Each structure stands twice: as structure tokens, then as C-alpha cells.
Amino acid sequence: MSASGVVREIGWRTLSVLAELGGMLVFTIAFLKAAVTPPLRGRRFVEEIYNQGFLSLIIVCISGLAVGMVLGLQGYNTLVRFGAEGSLGTVVGLGLIRELGPVLTALLVVGRAGSATAAEIASMVTSEQLDGLRMMSIDPIEIVVAPKALALIFVMPILTTLFVLFGLAGAYFIGVGLMGLDAGIFISGLKSSIRFSDDIGGCFFKALIFGFLAGLIATYRGYNAAPTAAGVSAATTSTVVVTSVAVLIGDYFVTALWGFRI
Amino acid sequence: MMQGSPAYDAHVRFEHVRMGFGTRTVFEDLVCGFPRGQISVLLGGSGSGKSTLLRLLGGLIRPAAGKIFVGDDEVTGAPEPTLYQIRSKIGMLFQGGALLDSLTVFDNLALPLREHSDLSEDAITETIRAQLSAVGLEKIDHLLPGQLSGGMLRRAALARAILREPEILLCDEPFSGLDPSSVKRIEMLLAKVNQERGITVLVVSHHIASTLRLADHALLLLPGRSVEGKPADLHRSEDAEVADFFDEDLAIDDVTPTASETLGS
Ligand SMILES: Nc1ncnc2c1ncn2[C@@H]1O[C@H](COP(=O)(O)OP(=O)(O)OP(=O)(O)O)[C@@H](O)[C@H]1O
Ligand SMILES: [Mg+2]
């Protein structure tokens, strides 16, 4: 490729990224407007919570347990070298609550519920269901997009909490049950080191932000899918990829800013 | 052909509409109209822009240039709220039905009523029952669209399209993929809707035979131009391209069950 070709390519890419961001901004505003203007679609919202929450419930719990057990093993084996195995509860608790809980839950939920949301909306585009709604003077953002995105935002903190609880249970099982650590020490390490506003508040804040990212990206990708089978699969794939990257990058910024706040 | 002001009372008018996708031009300078209270058929080869014309009319896509009128309302350039008002006068039957597949047939039909009217649930139920039996469907309220046959689905979608008493009904290939008796049935329903309620009907169709039976008016989309007039006149047209279109399709139709059934009946 010639030099001017490269420049042109970079120019194109930049423009298309900007167009994408602009489209996303407009979409976000439409979503927020639909979310706060009555009628509030309580029933649709609850249905979606059930769908999305339920979809992810089991994998989140099992993954939380597995991650907690691994943390328990690794943590114990590392800490025991310094004779500090008593702080296993602290290490596992902080790791799960501050980082692993929100981030891994977000990645799991995106892979399960986010991709399903994108695929469902994209196939509604393909089969002209959204155009059908428009022709009946019904805004698809109000009735399809908003309940789904809101539900994803809403379930993320709940699932994150479950992930953390199962993770702690897994670590407890390994540390106390298997390695013979004293239960009181494990629990008190956990209790004394975790600060409510800082750690737990940060955890919820992250979960909300990740839920917002997942909800918006999944619905946006589905909504703007090309009306073909390839369009549906592209929407699904890109939802998982883009949201995962956005969650990891977002995690850095939230961590940095949240720490700064204190 | 029929340029300038048409000789009929046009319910829908396209004035010098230009439309394309990317570098592909679909309409260069489309001028046409559809008479009020009559059944018009939209003909043309695959990719000639029939669906695009209906989507333009419904304001689902916007043309690059030109104006489109529904009655006295201009669709082009109308902001979204106005568009929603114009659409309340338009019913559209999509090719695949476009019913929401997460809702039952009943809830699909109830949706526009619940959104746009203050009817009680009882009144809604009554309206829907009446509408469904008008299209010959009974006891399927609780089924999901995926559980219906193609013909039933099309009729349920038709019931939804005429539920809000539109002034115009747009049908995108209502006959495709249906068996001959279902084709007849839908054909009769469209004629009934047109006669009983005086609704202007626009039908996209590949079935020349049914076109000749059904339509009062036809628009044929050819590459780079369009021709409109009475179906029978177009059929006998001296314009080679137009005559060819009818001949070829009739020839193909001859081997399909529809035509043979038509001949037999
Ligand atoms: N969303 C779109 N993006 C790009 N091109 C499109 C789009 N919709 C339609 N086209 C193109 O516009 C042309 C007209 O399409 P349209 O669907 O209106 O044809 P049609 O007459 O309905 O054909 P068919 O009989 O096959 O349904 C086609 O060449 C198609 O490729
Ligand atoms: Mg078409």
C-alpha cells in the first residue's frame, strides 16, 4: 500500500469510529429518554430481568465458586511461604470485591445475556419486526431496547453480589475446610479489612457501569445490525468483543478515579 | 407514459423521488400515484425497488430527493412525531408477517390497541376476536407466531394491519410462498377490505394472474423507468418491455399451481 493509501485508510478508519461513537451517543440519549418518560414499562422490565438474570444465574454462581476456590488455593500456597496464611480472608475478599467480582461477572454476563440480547434484537431487525412496530407508531427503543438495556443494568450488581458470595464460599471451603485454617481467623480477616463505602461501594459502582456498557452496547449492536443472517452473527460477536474490551478498559478508569476520590 | 398530473384522485403521490443505497441507484426520478379507494398492484423484477417503494411510503427510509405525499401529508421531511401520526393511517403487511415472535397472536394484535387507545381489556378482546374471525382465524389467540402456518401467519398479520382502521393498506408480497387456496383466500380478503371499508390497497405481487383478477391499477417498475395504468392495458401494451414482463411471468405462472388452478376453476 502506498503512503497516501495508508493515510487514506487511517482517515477512513477514524471517520468510521467517530461516526460509530456519534451513533452510539444519539442512541444513548434516545434510550435515556425512553427510560425516564412514562409509561414506565414495568411488566416488560420484569420479564427481561427474569430472562437475562436467569440466563446468567447458574454460570455466575458456578464461576464464582470456581474462582473463589482457585483464589483460596493460590492464596494459601503463596501466603503460607511467608507464614501469613492468616490473611487469606483479607486477600481473597479484597480481590473478589474490588476487582474479580465485577469484572468477571461482567464478562460472563456479556457472553451469556449480552450476546443473546444482541442476537434477539438483530433477528427482529432481520425479520422486520422493528419496522413493524414503527409502522404501528410504536417506538422500538421504548418497547424493546429500553427494557432490555435497563434489565442488564439492573441485574449486573445482583449477579456481581452472587459471584462474590459464591467466591468467598469457595475460598472458605478451601482455606478452612481443606487446608485447616481457623474459621474465626478467616472471617475476622475478611471483616476487618473490607470497608463498606470504599470496597463494597466501589464494587457496586463498577457493576453498574459495566451493566450500563453491556446493556447499551448489546442493544445498540442488535438495533443497528444489517438485516441478514450475517448481520445477526456480526452483531452478536461484536457485542461480546466490544463490551469485553470496554469493561476491561473501563475497569482501569473506574479503579483509578474511585481511588482518587478517597 | 403517464407523466404529470394523473387522471385519478391520487391517495398516494411520489413526486420526482430519487433513492439509492450507497452507489446503487434504485429510483432515478420516480413519478407515480395510487388512486384512492382502489386496489393497486406493484409489479417489477426482483430488486426493482418494490419493497423500497413501500418503505419510502411508510417513512421507514428517506429518499435522497423528491417528495412523497399520503393524502395531504408529506412523508418526506416529516419529523418523527408527525411520521407517527401519518403512520396511524397506514397499515402494513410485511412479507414475513413481522409479528413479534415473543408474543402470542392475541398480544401481538393487542399491542397497538394498548399503546394507542384507552379501550378496556374486554373491549380489546372483543375487537381482536372480531378482527381475527374477519380473516378466518379462530382459536389461535394463544399461539405464538412461530406455531402458525405461512398462510395463517399472513392472515394474522393482515388482521393486525387493518386493526387500527387505516386508510391505506400496504402489502409486501402477500402471496409468496403460499399454496393456491391460501392465495385465493388472501386475495378475497384484500378485495373485501377494499370494498367494505374503502381502504386504498397497495399490493406487491409476482402473481400476474392474480394481479389481473384483483387490481384496478398497476405500476410496473422497469430499470430506470416506471409505467402505470390499468392492468389489462399494460398487459396489451405495445411497449415491448412491458408486454415482455407480462408474457414471461404468465409463461412462468402457467406451470405454477396458482395459474393452473385458476384455469381449472
Ligand atoms: N437496506 C439496504 N441496503 C442496501 N441496499 C438495499 C437495501 N434495501 C434494498 N437494497 C437494494 O435496493 C434494490 C431494491 O430492493 P427492493 O428490496 O426494493 O427490491 P424488490 O423489488 O422488493 O425485490 P424482491 O422482489 O426481490 O423483493 C435491491 O437492488 C437491493 O439490493
Ligand atoms: Mg421485496
Side-chain angles (χ1 to χ4, degrees):
Chain A
M1 205 188 283
S2 68
S4 73
V6 171
V7 171
R8 194 176 309 145
E9 180 71 21
I10 292 173
W12 261 118
R13 290 273 163 100
T14 315
L15 278 181
S16 63
V17 166
L18 285 180
E20 179 85 9
L21 286 177
M24 185 111 198
L25 186 66
V26 171
F27 184 81
T28 307
I29 292 169
F31 158 69
L32 291 175
K33 206 171 133 231
V36 297
T37 40
L40 299 173
R41 302 178 184 280
R43 212 182 111 196
R44 287 278 301 116
F45 177 59
V46 172
E47 276 169 16
E48 291 300 341
I49 288 178
Y50 178 81
N51 287 343
Q52 320 225 14
F54 227 71
L55 278 182
S56 318
L57 196 60
I58 291 179
I59 55 164
V60 164
C61 292
I62 292 179
S63 306
L65 196 66
V67 167
M69 287 167 71
V70 170
L71 280 181
L73 272 181
Q74 293 278 24
Y76 184 87
N77 286 334
T78 312
L79 290 170
V80 86
R81 290 188 210 165
F82 310 103
E85 65 272 26
S87 35
L88 183 65
T90 310
V91 169
V92 170
L94 285 179
L96 275 172
I97 293 171
R98 293 184 68 109
E99 277 307 322
L100 295 173
V103 171
L104 291 181
T105 307
L107 296 181
L108 289 169
V109 171
V110 166
R112 189 69 187 85
S115 62
T117 299
E120 190 181 340
I121 298 181
S123 72
M124 292 176 83
V125 172
T126 310
S127 54
E128 297 184 309
Q129 291 177 45
L130 296 190
D131 281 338
L133 287 173
R134 289 192 188 98
M135 286 309 294
M136 295 189 295
S137 313
I138 298 172
D139 185 357
I141 295 206
E142 231 175 78
I143 193 160
V144 177
V145 168
K148 283 185 189 296
L150 280 175
L152 264 175
I153 297 173
F154 186 82
V155 297
M156 201 66 97
I158 298 175
L159 292 171
T160 302
T161 307
L162 277 173
F163 185 96
V164 171
L165 290 178
F166 272 81
L168 291 176
Y172 181 90
F173 170 69
I174 295 291
V176 178
L178 223 57
M179 301 300 186
L181 214 62
D182 182 66
I185 293 181
F186 184 92
I187 302 278
S188 73
L190 196 60
K191 267 194 190 155
S192 64
S193 60
I194 288 163
R195 277 175 295 170
F196 187 81
S197 74
D198 196 3
D199 300 323
I200 297 183
C203 175
F204 270 99
F205 184 65
K206 275 187 182 177
L208 275 179
I209 298 280
F210 297 162
F212 197 78
L213 285 174
L216 273 174
I217 295 174
T219 50
Y220 175 78
R221 289 288 161 154
Y223 192 79
N224 287 292
T228 55
V232 177
S233 78
T236 314
T237 313
S238 74
T239 294
V240 175
V241 173
V242 173
T243 316
S244 301
V245 173
V247 162
L248 294 173
I249 295 176
D251 184 43
Y252 171 79
F253 285 102
V254 176
T255 307
L257 293 176
W258 193 260
F260 197 65
R261 184 193 65 106
I262 306 299
Chain B
M1 295 271 101
M2 260 187 141
Q3 292 286 342
S5 61
Y8 49 80
D9 172 22
H11 199 167
V12 175
R13 279 176 297 144
F14 281 67
E15 293 183 354
H16 305 285
V17 169
R18 193 170 78 234
M19 181 68 199
F21 296 97
T23 54
R24 231 194 114 87
T25 309
V26 181
F27 303 126
E28 203 113 27
D29 179 31
L30 179 69
V31 178
C32 66
F34 299 96
R36 186 182 295 274
Q38 300 196 345
I39 300 183
S40 302
V41 170
L42 225 65
L43 299 163
S46 200
S48 59
K50 304 181 295 292
S51 303
T52 303
L53 192 150
L54 295 190
R55 297 169 63 79
L56 281 167
L57 179 43
L60 293 171
I61 47 176
R62 292 183 190 268
K67 292 183 173 172
I68 299 166
F69 292 91
V70 173
D72 296 326
D73 301 316
E74 190 185 331
V75 177
T76 31
E80 204 71 2
T82 316
L83 216 46
Y84 275 10
Q85 251 162 19
I86 298 175
R87 284 176 188 157
S88 67
K89 300 178 203 158
I90 304 177
M92 185 148 172
L93 171 57
F94 288 86
Q95 185 168 349
L99 295 177
L100 296 174
D101 45 31
S102 55
L103 298 181
T104 61
V105 171
F106 182 88
D107 284 336
N108 260 293
L109 270 78
L111 186 64
L113 296 177
R114 287 180 183 144
E115 289 291 317
H116 297 301
S117 72
D118 302 326
L119 293 180
S120 67
E121 277 301 306
D122 285 345
I124 289 178
T125 309
E126 203 172 310
T127 313
I128 292 172
R129 289 270 153 76
Q131 212 59 254
L132 281 175
S133 71
V135 296
L137 290 175
E138 255 134 31
K139 305 208 186 79
I140 58 147
D141 300 10
H142 58 284
L143 295 181
L144 292 171
Q147 296 168 318
L148 301 181
S149 75
M152 288 160 86
L153 188 69
R154 221 61 73 77
R155 278 184 281 152
L158 181 60
R160 186 179 76 167
I162 57 178
L163 195 60
R164 289 170 72 208
E165 304 285 336
E167 295 168 13
I168 302 178
L169 177 63
L170 313 176
C171 305
D172 199 349
E173 308 200 14
F175 309 122
S176 72
L178 294 186
D179 62 284
S181 68
S182 298
V183 168
K184 273 266 172 63
R185 224 174 159 150
I186 299 218
E187 217 175 85
M188 271 162 47
L189 283 172
L190 292 179
K192 195 169 110 185
V193 163
N194 168 251
Q195 271 159 21
E196 286 178 4
R197 314 192 191 195
I199 298 179
T200 304
V201 181
L202 255 73
V203 186
V204 171
S205 173
H206 284 301
H207 280 253
I208 303 291
S210 69
T211 303
L212 291 174
R213 277 199 299 265
L214 189 66
D216 306 305
H217 183 87
L219 174 74
L220 173 59
L221 297 173
L222 293 166
R225 69 192 181 112
S226 65
V227 185
E228 61 178 305
K230 292 218 176 313
D233 293 344
L234 292 188
H235 186 29
R236 288 192 299 266
S237 170
E238 280 156 27
D239 190 322
E241 245 182 314
V242 178
D244 269 5
F245 183 85
F246 279 82
D247 286 345
E248 269 173 36
D249 266 53
L250 271 183
I252 295 166
D253 255 13
D254 274 342
V255 293
T256 64
T258 322
S260 47
E261 203 228 30
T262 312
L263 293 176
S265 62

